[in-house]
Amino acid sequence: MPIHWSILLFVPFLLFGCSGAEPVIIISDLDYAEIENHTGWHLRLHGDGSGSLRHDQLPAHHLHFPVGTFDLSPARSLSQRCRGNKSGPVCTALRYHAAMENKINECRCVSGSWTTEMMEKAIGSMQMAVDAGSSERSCRMLRRQWLAAR
């Protein structure tokens, strides 16, 4: 009898001891930034470097970019040092969500060229999004919209 009890006490240690380590979640990977410009383009960048692109006139079409495509680090400082939150007809808006503080910093009119560079990188990387599983048709429709606006 004592052998059976020892086995019953040992089995839970085997079950829990064999489970893998808990996945590590890096809080900064939960941060995101949204860039919106006056022409209707919306780009969302995530802390892990992934992103998504859409346009107001094409709500059914969007592209998702793989991890590591974008660098989100400048967005935090740009949104924090926004001057006056003014708005204008040709401004680019930036919203930054910091997961650790659960806070959104919004700048209605961002200065500098970082937001434009990110938008152009998204447009230039459309094929990368298609290769990662986004729709070829959405890519064609968004590219056509981009070319028509230029």
Side-chain angles (χ1 to χ4, degrees):
M1 262 306 179
I3 295 176
H4 297 287
W5 284 105
S6 63
I7 291 175
L8 288 176
L9 293 174
F10 185 67
V11 169
F13 291 112
L14 281 177
L15 293 175
F16 294 113
C18 293
S19 64
E22 291 284 325
V24 176
I25 297 174
I26 301 170
I27 298 295
S28 64
D29 282 356
L30 300 176
D31 292 354
Y32 67 86
E34 295 176 330
I35 300 169
E36 297 177 15
N37 68 19
H38 64 284
T39 60
W41 288 96
H42 299 268
L43 178 61
R44 180 179 262 201
L45 308 174
H46 299 279
D48 62 1
S50 62
S52 60
L53 178 69
R54 66 181 178 85
H55 192 275
D56 286 340
Q57 292 182 351
L58 302 167
H61 299 285
H62 53 274
L63 294 175
H64 295 285
F65 297 90
V67 172
T69 305
F70 301 100
D71 178 19
L72 183 65
S73 57
R76 182 181 200 107
S77 62
L78 279 172
S79 66
Q80 288 176 340
R81 65 173 199 238
C82 183
R83 292 203 171 102
N85 246 357
K86 64 182 181 211
S87 184
V90 292
C91 285
T92 300
L94 174 66
R95 277 184 298 286
Y96 183 84
H97 175 261
M100 185 67 95
E101 298 97 30
N102 193 22
K103 179 181 170 188
I104 295 178
N105 293 326
E106 183 172 4
C107 185
R108 291 189 208 137
C109 200
V110 179
S111 59
S113 62
W114 180 80
T115 55
T116 305
E117 289 170 11
M118 290 298 101
M119 196 66 76
E120 288 175 354
K121 181 173 184 171
I123 299 299
S125 302
M126 285 181 166
Q127 188 58 46
M128 184 187 303
V130 171
D131 293 343
S134 288
S135 163
E136 179 75 39
R137 184 166 191 268
S138 289
C139 180
R140 284 195 312 270
M141 296 296 288
L142 291 170
R143 188 171 309 209
R144 186 175 300 144
Q145 182 69 28
W146 177 259
L147 293 173
R150 301 206 50 78

